[in-house]
Amino acid sequence: MNDSTWTTVDQLKQWLDDKDGVAPETARLMRILKLQEELGEVAEAVMGAMGTNPRKGASHTWDDVESEVCDVILSGMVLLATLTPDAGKKFDERLSIIAERSLA
C-alpha cells in the first residue's frame, strides 16, 4: 500500500473520532465490533450471491461480495490506525513476516 492510502485511512479515523464523541477505549471497542459487522455483511452477500437463503434467494452478486470484502479491509485498516499511530508500519511489518513464512 502506498502512503496516500494510509493518509486517507488516518483522515477517516480522525473523522470518526470527531463524529462519534466517545472515549478512546470505547472507540476501539466499537471499531472491533464494526469489523465483525462488516464480516457478517460479507457472509450475507455470499449467501445472496449463491442463492442459499430460501427466504431471500439470489439477493446479491459477486460484485456485492467484492465490495463487502473491501469494507472489511477498510474497517480493519481504520481499526489498526485506532490501535496504533504507526498503522502503516505495523501492517508492512506483519505482511513481511507472513510473506516470508508463507512464500519461503
Side-chain angles (χ1 to χ4, degrees):
M1 272 174 241
N2 59 40
D3 290 337
S4 68
T5 298
W6 285 106
T7 298
T8 302
V9 168
D10 287 336
Q11 291 170 338
L12 289 168
K13 179 220 169 268
Q14 188 60 54
W15 176 79
L16 286 169
D17 288 346
D18 293 344
K19 295 289 183 188
D20 65 18
V22 298
E25 299 81 20
T26 303
R28 286 193 300 265
L29 177 59
M30 293 297 104
R31 291 173 194 167
I32 290 167
L33 294 175
K34 180 64 176 175
L35 182 60
Q36 180 62 46
E37 176 193 23
E38 294 296 344
L39 283 168
E41 291 178 12
V42 170
E44 180 182 13
V46 168
M47 290 187 307
M50 295 182 72
T52 58
N53 183 334
R55 189 172 50 85
K56 294 183 179 180
S59 58
H60 292 76
T61 67
W62 285 103
D63 187 58
D64 295 327
V65 175
E66 292 171 7
S67 294
E68 294 299 343
V69 169
C70 288
D71 290 351
V72 168
I73 294 166
L74 181 55
S75 294
M77 292 173 77
V78 171
L79 171 58
L80 185 58
T82 300
L83 298 173
T84 177
D86 294 323
K89 180 181 177 198
K90 181 69 174 183
F91 181 84
D92 289 343
E93 288 170 356
R94 189 68 187 152
L95 179 60
S96 292
I97 290 168
I98 292 170
E100 183 177 320
R101 178 178 66 211
S102 300
L103 303 176

